[in-house]
């Protein structure tokens, strides 16, 4: 399970050093793809394969599933982190997420998310007030 918030920097070659506590689980390979709210999702290969299987089972006649699958797979980039725990984020994904030098990398249970630092700060400012209000809808009965 991926947990926590980290603030690495993107280097001049578009590489990100993965947080140390995530490296073991990601060492076998990752898939980086577009996420919601203009962040990037980073999946360990087994989790990406599980999601791909679910999308394969959706009927091809389902327009929303086709549209989601096209964007999800077409933007995906697979890679094995190097010995320093670095991955290269392709230009098209850096542009999508408006990644600058300063990043925020968060653990989001079964995936990692990569955010531009300013975009993450803006998202938190807009979302934190709603956090307590949405608990009931997300976790029936509360914690």
């Amino acid at each position: 399970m991926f947990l926590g918030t980290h603030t690495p920097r993107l280097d001049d070659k578009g590489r990100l050093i993965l947080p140390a506590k995530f490296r073991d689980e990601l060492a076998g390979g990752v898939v980086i793809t577009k996420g919601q709210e203009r962040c990037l999702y980073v999946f360990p290969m087994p989790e990406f394969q599980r999601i791909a299987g679910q999308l394969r089972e959706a009927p091809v006649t389902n327009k929303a599933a086709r549209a989601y699958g096209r964007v999800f797979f077409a933007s995906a980039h697979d890679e094995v982190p190097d010995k320093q725990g670095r991955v290269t984020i392709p230009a098209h994904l850096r542009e999508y997420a408006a990644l600058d030098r300063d990043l925020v990398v968060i653990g989001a249970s079964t995936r990692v998310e990569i955010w531009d630092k300013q975009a993450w700060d803006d998202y938190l400012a807009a979302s934190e007030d709603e956090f307590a209000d949405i608990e009931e809808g997300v976790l029936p009965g509360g914690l």
Side-chain angles (χ1 to χ4, degrees):
M1 179 178 293
F2 299 104
L3 302 171
T5 302
H6 309 271
T7 54
R9 300 188 87 179
L10 202 59
D11 73 12
D12 293 335
K13 296 179 182 177
R15 295 177 303 192
L16 162 71
I17 299 175
L18 295 167
K21 68 185 289 186
F22 296 166
R23 288 184 201 158
D24 285 346
E25 195 165 345
L26 299 175
V30 301
V31 177
I32 306 169
T33 192
K34 291 179 178 180
Q36 274 70 43
E37 291 88 31
R38 294 263 175 194
C39 74
L40 300 179
Y41 289 165
V42 180
F43 295 101
M45 188 59 73
E47 178 65 8
F48 184 83
Q49 290 170 337
R50 184 190 68 76
I51 293 166
Q54 287 181 317
L55 288 170
R56 269 193 307 274
E57 291 180 19
V60 75
T61 55
N62 182 318
K63 186 176 181 177
R66 285 193 318 271
Y68 186 84
R70 285 177 184 136
V71 172
F72 189 75
F73 292 118
S75 65
H77 169 76
D78 61 321
E79 183 170 352
V80 175
D82 69 12
K83 291 178 183 171
Q84 287 79 36
R86 296 179 300 195
V87 292
T88 300
I89 302 173
H92 74 280
L93 291 174
R94 291 194 313 263
E95 289 172 23
Y96 168 79
L99 299 182
D100 200 8
R101 189 175 267 308
D102 295 321
L103 306 178
V104 173
V105 174
I106 66 165
S109 184
T110 60
R111 70 179 181 275
V112 173
E113 293 183 0
I114 302 171
W115 291 76
D116 174 74
K117 184 177 183 326
Q118 187 59 55
W120 175 250
D121 290 345
D122 293 345
Y123 176 80
L124 275 184
S127 301
E128 283 190 329
D129 288 341
E130 299 169 8
F131 179 69
D133 296 335
I134 62 175
E135 176 191 328
E136 187 66 32
V138 175
L139 298 171
L143 293 177

